[in-house]
Amino acid sequence: MPYYASLRRETPDVRKRVAEGLLRLRKSIADQKVPLRTVSGDVLIASWNIREFDSRKYGGRLVDAFYYIAEILSHFDLIAIQEVRGDLSALDRVQSLLGSWWKYVVTDVTDAGLGGNGERMAFLYDSRKVTFGGLAGEIVLPPSKIDTEVLQFARTPFVCGFKSGWAKIDLCTVHIYYGDGVPLDPRRLAEIEKLADFLAKRAKKAAQPKPTDGKPAIKPPEPDTLILLGDFNIFDTKDATLKAITDAGFKIPMVLTDRKGSNLGRDKFYDQIAIWRGKRFDETDRGGVLDFYDAVFRAEDEAVYGPLINPAKSGKPPTYKDWKTYQMSDHLVLWAAFKVDFAETYLADLATE
């Protein structure tokens, strides 16, 4: 639970407004069947593109937004966040609301050229449930014997290793190139294909028996679970962009295969979570898209927030619908719960030896 006591420092009208919003938001999250977190139970993994976090556009985020974002994040154990900007003060502010046991790992800022937009990517996690395993790196594709010019990503994918329960999990978060607003932008498709193929080859290599000097090959330990997640800018589940992920050997959790989109219109499937499953890590039947706009920054709240909207540099104020996406986001939260407690299975195996 976020640190609500700091709300006491706000003016009475702000305090009342935010408290009412938080009450609605907590009820909405429960109604959408996001399970309560536990120290030793299933690990709840989420992906959220938090729009320009924090660009200060239109005057920056209100205190309301920081509390609402922190409340949403507090319901998950490990979150991949896209569009974190160079200034980390917004992420630090949310972390302070969540508590000292929350930690984050971030990339350096991606160059603004070629769609990088000066962004970072981050993993935020509750260290009481998830521990950082030591692996952290950005993916740069190796030289190719076929291509004279190797494609590199507009925003470099970020891989980190974590441990939760009995599972070791390598997560790779992405914010794939958007380009033209069409389902099959060539560069977007190429980025997804190259990345999925690169990660799949690494996972297969890790699972191959290791040769020894004339002796029988040693079977390696089962590799860590690999999760590919983030904003892929996939328009439809039938598009070649999603097929490129599954063709490489990744699997979309069953609970996320029949869902609405994660954009505001709920008709685009930009955000994805895909699994290359390793040892002691299983899907559950819990997951989906968390829609927070039924509780905060609602259409009926325009009368309250309208006077607080700062104009653009041109002097023209944005619409309320656009402005609120710079308070919260133009993406909803994609999440899934995974089983990482295998004590019963392990003990049962020992008992039958």
Side-chain angles (χ1 to χ4, degrees), residues 61-89:
R61 285 175 164 85
L62 301 176
V63 64
D64 311 43
F66 286 104
Y67 276 97
Y68 300 155
I69 290 170
E71 177 64 43
I72 291 167
L73 294 172
S74 75
H75 288 265
F76 305 100
D77 299 306
L78 174 57
I79 310 103
I81 304 175
Q82 302 86 47
E83 288 203 30
V84 175
R85 290 303 177 99
D87 183 354
L88 291 173
S89 58

Side-chain angles (χ1 to χ4, degrees), residues 247-262:
D247 280 355
F250 286 88
K251 182 187 177 189
I252 306 299
M254 185 64 68
V255 71
L256 299 182
T257 57
D258 184 19
R259 61 175 176 87
K260 292 184 178 180
S262 54

Side-chain angles (χ1 to χ4, degrees), residues 201-210 218-223 276:
K201 285 179 178 177
R202 276 185 37 168
K204 289 175 183 176
K205 185 177 180 180
Q208 289 176 353
K210 302 297 186 286
I218 300 173
K219 184 179 180 181
E222 196 167 344
W276 189 290

Side-chain angles (χ1 to χ4, degrees), residues 48-55 57 61 82-83 85 322 325-331:
W48 192 11
N49 180 324
I50 305 180
R51 190 172 196 178
E52 296 190 16
F53 194 55
D54 196 14
S55 70
K57 192 165 186 177
R61 285 175 164 85
Q82 302 86 47
E83 288 203 30
R85 290 303 177 99
D322 183 47
T325 67
Y326 288 91
Q327 294 294 314
M328 297 298 290
S329 184
D330 53 348
H331 288 245

Side-chain angles (χ1 to χ4, degrees), residues 216-323:
I218 300 173
K219 184 179 180 181
E222 196 167 344
D224 297 347
T225 294
L226 174 61
I227 300 180
L228 181 56
L229 75 172
D231 180 3
F232 291 82
N233 282 311
I234 291 172
F235 279 48
D236 191 273
T237 55
K238 299 182 181 65
D239 290 345
T241 42
L242 183 58
K243 189 172 184 294
I245 297 173
T246 55
D247 280 355
F250 286 88
K251 182 187 177 189
I252 306 299
M254 185 64 68
V255 71
L256 299 182
T257 57
D258 184 19
R259 61 175 176 87
K260 292 184 178 180
S262 54
N263 63 321
L264 299 194
R266 304 302 302 271
D267 58 351
K268 299 291 189 298
F269 297 81
Y270 297 144
D271 306 283
Q272 295 289 334
I273 297 175
I275 312 296
W276 189 290
R277 191 170 69 83
K279 191 176 184 181
R280 294 170 180 162
F281 185 88
D282 276 340
E283 297 179 30
T284 73
D285 59 358
R286 294 175 295 173
V289 177
L290 175 64
D291 187 348
F292 41 83
Y293 279 121
D294 64 342
V296 298
F297 292 99
R298 304 165 300 171
E300 57 263 43
D301 296 327
E302 183 173 0
V304 175
Y305 289 117
L308 304 178
I309 298 177
N310 283 302
K313 291 182 180 179
S314 65
K316 181 180 179 180
T319 64
Y320 173 68
K321 185 176 181 180
D322 183 47
W323 172 82

